[in-house]
Amino acid sequence: MNIGIIGTGNVGGALGRRWAYIGHDVTFGSRDPQSERVTELMRRIGAGVTATGAAEAAAASEIVVIATPWPATQAAVEACGDLSGKIVIDCVNPHKADFSGLELGTDTSAAEHIAGWAPGARVVKAFNATGAGNMREPAYGRTTADM
């Protein structure tokens, strides 16, 4: 499957690494796909991943994952272009910029906002209730969690 991940931080990197490892083609969408940070992420993951701009990653993918900090999410979704008909996985927690609490959540959700910014997309919420460390290595002693 072709998976586009918008965001190259802890969550996007952990999910991309795991999905590439099990054989999916992963394209990271970034504002600066040639940056040192993105180049290092590609090197760490290895085969099965590429980096482009957000619009190219979204266009080339069946599933688009949004794994950005909340303050950057609207711009990131809009940079993807037309997401109509795509499955969009929202991994975002809408934290305030200073992490003092949530910016949304009492009468609307991040997923509702993302759906509004991506008309025609099929938005689902996932991967926001566990840490990137669990995504990278879901092993607890002799027990391995399904992720």
Side-chain angles (χ1 to χ4, degrees):
M1 178 168 292
N2 295 321
I3 302 171
I5 300 176
I6 311 306
T8 57
N10 292 331
V11 172
L15 290 170
R17 182 181 127 210
R18 181 68 66 185
W19 288 330
Y21 176 77
I22 61 174
H24 295 291
D25 292 319
V26 175
T27 303
F28 285 95
S30 172
R31 289 175 299 205
D32 185 4
Q34 304 303 318
S35 73
E36 187 175 318
R37 176 183 174 162
V38 175
T39 301
E40 176 59 20
L41 177 63
M42 299 298 103
R43 186 196 64 72
R44 281 194 331 263
I45 295 174
V49 296
T50 57
T52 66
E56 295 84 3
S61 301
E62 299 156 81
I63 294 176
V64 178
V65 176
I66 307 298
T68 56
W70 176 247
T73 300
Q74 182 175 359
V77 171
E78 291 172 351
C80 290
D82 184 12
L83 294 170
S84 297
K86 302 250 184 205
I87 296 170
V88 174
I89 300 175
D90 163 26
C91 302
V92 178
N93 285 318
H95 294 287
K96 292 180 180 179
D98 66 1
F99 291 98
S100 64
L102 295 177
E103 198 158 306
L104 313 168
T106 56
D107 57 359
T108 187
S109 70
E112 288 173 296
H113 283 262
I114 290 171
W117 300 327
R122 295 172 32 201
V123 178
V124 297
K125 187 77 169 179
F127 306 113
N128 70 309
T130 187
N134 290 330
M135 294 175 194
R136 276 191 298 278
E137 193 57 50
Y140 306 92
R142 293 184 177 166
T143 304
T144 301
D146 289 333
M147 291 298 292

